[in-house]
Amino acid sequence: MDRYTADTYGDKARYDRATASLDAPLAVVDLRAFDANAADLVRRSKGKPIRVASKSVRCRALLERVLARDGFAGIMSFTLGESLWLARSGFTDILLAYPSADRAGFAGLTADPKLAAAVTVMVDDPAQLDLIDAARPDGGHGGEEVRVCLELDTSYRVLGGKVRVGARRSPLREPAQLAALARAVVRRPGFSLVGLMAYEGHVAGVGDEVAGKPVFSRAIRVMQAAARKELAQRRWEAVRAVRAVAPRLEFVNGGGTGSVQHTAAEAAVTEIAAGSGLYVPRLFDNFRSFSGRPAALFAQPVVRRPGPGVVTVLGGGYPASGAAGADRLPVPHLPAGLSYDPQEGPGEVQTPLLGPAADSLRIGDKVWFRHAKAGELCERFAALHLIDGDRVVETVPTYRGEGHTFL
């Protein structure tokens, strides 16, 4: 069920008026909602700067818009190719959040002082340093100094490690492991250790108030409280261990949209990462600690009326990444009261929708959906129509619209 079916923040008529001259399928961003969400992220970050997770935005114009606001500084990118493209486009302070095996990209990074100054790469294994060196000009002995960030594993483990909650990311879990790799980095010519990152996805990306599941929600809250406490202590110890090796560490990054206020309270953390909270996709409906405004939507046209209480829209089968399940599907948003046919679900070419609201829709009308995740919507559309009130004030390209599909 869509939490916002009461049309609290924007109704179908307004979006229909704004896009009356445009044919669906199309995607929009409601700028008033986008800006309100940005302001709320800043409020929750309690004065610590927010580094924008670009994978959750995937649109240069909107990255520029949010970075122009007070409280935001820097980008957290998702591939090396994207990082270099953004740096060539004029963005600075780009933290690549994932290790890369892009040898051509590293060759470009180490050959260009502007790129090397703008991009920080993620490392959690000495073999990744070897790969970078092998890509350098002059047979691995030349090129620019590479800025490096280490990643701490944040997963919560109980019963002696037999039970793990959280993503499988870095192999570096204990402060001593971080310190050992830090020493390897600072001793190695051509590298500079500048940052430490720890992303607590099991807190930042998992809702703790799931509608209709009070017992499950309570269990999530208990787990997250214990995980936050454990991680805060271990993160502080890891930062202390790394700073003993690299006293001039520039930043310690943590958090995510769902944990902004909790992570910001940790003294060891200097900046917060967030991105999904700008668009507020449906996976972020289930948090007690904050309530954002849905800003990114897509519309599909009604192309059939198979019978009473049923309409069919073109396409719409845009599942999100992650473990397959109903929560990874887009949700019909406007008009309120539509649901999928359980025998078909959202389809590649057509999607039947059931409910009383179907009888008010005509051929050619738009049905508005919310995606399960944030930036993945932009992989389906070449442009975003930016809405202010009931007008499209600008149409801007997504990454795809600029000819880039980095993953």
Side-chain angles (χ1 to χ4, degrees):
M1 181 179 293
D2 185 3
R3 175 178 174 181
Y4 296 94
T5 51
D7 297 0
T8 306
Y9 298 114
D11 56 25
K12 183 178 188 301
R14 181 163 66 88
Y15 294 134
D16 284 349
R17 286 195 301 271
T19 61
S21 64
L22 302 173
D23 288 334
L26 57 82
V28 303
V29 170
D30 186 327
L31 291 179
R32 294 182 186 178
F34 182 90
D35 290 344
N37 293 334
D40 188 62
L41 287 170
V42 171
R43 177 189 63 79
R44 291 197 288 134
S45 71
K46 302 175 183 178
K48 291 187 176 177
I50 298 172
R51 186 181 291 275
V52 183
S54 61
K55 76 178 183 66
S56 300
V57 179
R58 303 195 199 199
C59 171
R60 283 199 300 166
L62 289 174
L63 288 173
E64 290 169 351
R65 183 183 184 92
V66 72
L67 286 170
R69 299 179 65 96
D70 290 340
F72 290 86
I75 289 175
M76 177 177 282
S77 58
F78 59 96
T79 72
L80 182 57
E82 180 214 13
S83 306
L84 300 179
W85 176 64
L86 290 174
R88 292 184 179 113
S89 300
F91 291 92
T92 59
D93 191 9
I94 302 163
L95 170 62
L96 174 57
Y98 307 89
S100 176
D102 181 354
R103 288 173 292 185
F106 283 126
L109 177 71
T110 56
D112 189 324
K114 176 185 174 182
L115 299 181
V119 177
T120 299
V121 304
M122 191 63 60
V123 167
D124 58 30
D125 189 312
Q128 294 155 357
L129 302 176
D130 295 338
L131 188 147
I132 296 171
D133 271 341
R136 290 179 181 275
D138 303 326
H141 301 292
E144 299 295 322
E145 186 172 77
V146 175
R147 293 167 54 84
V148 168
C149 177
L150 307 183
E151 181 172 3
L152 170 70
D153 168 54
T154 67
S155 62
Y156 180 53
R157 300 183 184 181
V158 294
L159 300 178
K162 294 180 180 178
V163 176
R164 176 191 58 83
V165 180
R168 297 183 186 275
R169 291 178 63 109
S170 172
L172 306 175
R173 179 171 181 81
E174 301 304 326
Q177 295 175 301
L178 271 294
L181 186 54
R183 286 191 289 271
V185 173
V186 299
R187 291 172 180 169
R188 192 159 180 157
F191 294 92
S192 175
L193 178 56
V194 299
L196 176 66
M197 187 189 89
Y199 170 59
E200 53 267 44
H202 50 298
V203 178
V206 177
D208 61 354
E209 190 168 57
V210 182
K213 297 183 177 181
V215 175
F216 175 77
S217 298
R218 172 62 179 167
I220 291 293
R221 291 195 289 273
V222 170
M223 177 277 292
Q224 289 180 339
R228 289 197 305 267
K229 182 178 180 181
E230 184 276 335
L231 177 59
Q233 178 65 30
R234 186 158 51 88
R235 180 154 41 198
W236 180 80
E237 293 173 356
V239 171
R240 183 176 64 172
V242 172
R243 286 196 185 278
V245 178
R248 296 183 180 179
L249 205 65
E250 295 176 13
F251 63 86
V252 176
N253 182 281
T257 288
S259 68
V260 169
Q261 66 276 19
H262 301 299
T263 309
E266 294 185 33
V269 175
T270 66
E271 63 176 39
I272 312 298
S276 294
L278 295 168
Y279 287 170
V280 187
R282 64 167 297 200
L283 280 177
F284 285 83
D285 285 353
N286 302 317
F287 285 84
R288 280 202 314 174
S289 59
F290 79 100
S291 178
R293 296 173 54 169
L297 303 97
F298 67 93
Q300 303 295 114
V302 174
V303 292
R304 284 177 171 165
R305 293 174 50 85
V310 186
V311 292
T312 301
V313 298
L314 182 70
Y318 305 156
S321 60
D327 66 339
R328 301 289 148 167
L329 301 179
V331 61
H333 180 53
L334 300 172
L338 294 174
S339 61
Y340 293 123
D341 182 332
Q343 295 186 53
E344 295 194 45
E348 176 189 10
V349 178
Q350 68 167 37
T351 298
L353 297 171
L354 314 180
D359 292 331
S360 67
L361 295 168
R362 300 168 299 176
I363 300 295
D365 283 354
K366 296 180 177 77
V367 175
W368 296 88
F369 294 77
R370 295 172 64 209
H371 204 275
K373 298 185 79 172
E376 290 185 21
L377 168 66
C378 295
E379 298 299 337
R380 298 286 184 168
F381 293 92
L384 297 173
H385 302 284
L386 307 184
I387 292 179
D388 187 357
D390 60 0
R391 296 185 306 118
V392 171
V393 294
E394 189 177 3
T395 298
V396 296
T398 60
Y399 282 9
R400 174 179 172 176
E402 297 201 66
H404 295 286
T405 50
F406 293 107
L407 277 178

